[in-house]
Amino acid sequence: PSNQVISQSLQISATEEGIYTFVGIGDENCRVEDQVTVNPCIDCSEPTIDYISIINSTTDQPIGRLEDGGFINIFDYPGGLNLNAEVISCPDQVGSVRFVMTGDGTHSRTESKAPYAFAGDGNGNYRDYFFTPGDYTLTTTAYSENGASGTAGTPIMINFTVINQEIDPCE
């Protein structure tokens, strides 16, 4: 909020609740902007998923967050992608995560061990999932016990679109 210039290696401690916007220069001198919502009060009364990461299954690295109303462009990822339910705030409350995707393609899976991967993984080596272009809804629910049993947390429902097209990096 105070327009500070920071480097990529600097960690910022934000204790005040609010939305923080980070602006910088990325590849090819394109403007890069990201927002982070800070809510220091964490409720661990039910199993909770913090967010869904999009994973490059070739490198096993996160490439962004799956946001409601957002999109996934598969053009740059011919090796496939995966999704990961990130459980950071209260990891001891989550025993399993259930993924159910509907729309132009369907897929469901229950993961009882972190990382909670939409298409599965072998010790953090994410399996490929080949999305096809279209519109989807992903419902992800954390449970307190293995096998999608026990207490269910509040489901996260994300509507998103998959595209397959080359995009100018500065647009």
Side-chain angles (χ1 to χ4, degrees):
S2 62
N3 297 323
Q4 294 177 340
V5 176
I6 60 171
S7 70
Q8 289 181 338
S9 63
L10 182 65
Q11 289 187 341
I12 299 171
S13 296
T15 57
E16 188 174 317
E17 185 173 334
I19 297 175
Y20 295 80
T21 301
F22 297 90
V23 179
I25 301 296
D27 294 340
E28 301 180 31
N29 289 323
C30 297
R31 176 186 164 100
V32 177
E33 184 174 312
D34 195 14
Q35 285 191 338
V36 177
T37 302
V38 174
N39 182 358
C41 300
I42 298 170
D43 178 8
C44 287
S45 62
E46 67 177 29
T48 303
I49 298 167
D50 292 287
Y51 58 90
I52 306 297
S53 288
I54 304 168
I55 304 292
N56 178 339
S57 56
T58 301
T59 64
D60 296 324
Q61 296 299 309
I63 56 174
R65 289 186 183 186
L66 183 61
E67 302 284 349
D68 190 44
F71 70 93
I72 296 174
N73 187 357
I74 59 175
F75 182 84
D76 293 322
Y77 304 99
L81 297 171
N82 203 327
L83 302 174
N84 185 45
E86 299 288 346
V87 178
I88 298 168
S89 300
C90 309
D92 295 338
Q93 299 294 324
V94 178
S96 61
V97 172
R98 177 85 175 143
F99 298 91
V100 177
M101 184 177 73
T102 58
D104 289 332
T106 60
H107 178 79
S108 63
R109 180 176 186 83
T110 299
E111 284 278 286
S112 293
K113 180 180 176 188
Y116 302 106
F118 171 77
D121 70 291
N123 295 321
N125 183 11
Y126 291 90
R127 293 189 183 108
D128 296 333
Y129 186 85
F130 297 97
F131 289 92
T132 57
D135 295 319
Y136 298 90
T137 299
L138 177 67
T139 303
T140 311
T141 309
Y143 291 84
S144 62
E145 297 178 22
N146 288 342
S149 60
T151 302
T154 303
I156 296 174
M157 185 179 289
I158 300 174
N159 296 296
F160 65 99
T161 300
V162 173
I163 62 172
N164 185 11
Q165 65 187 42
E166 187 171 10
I167 296 176
D168 181 334
C170 288
E171 291 183 6

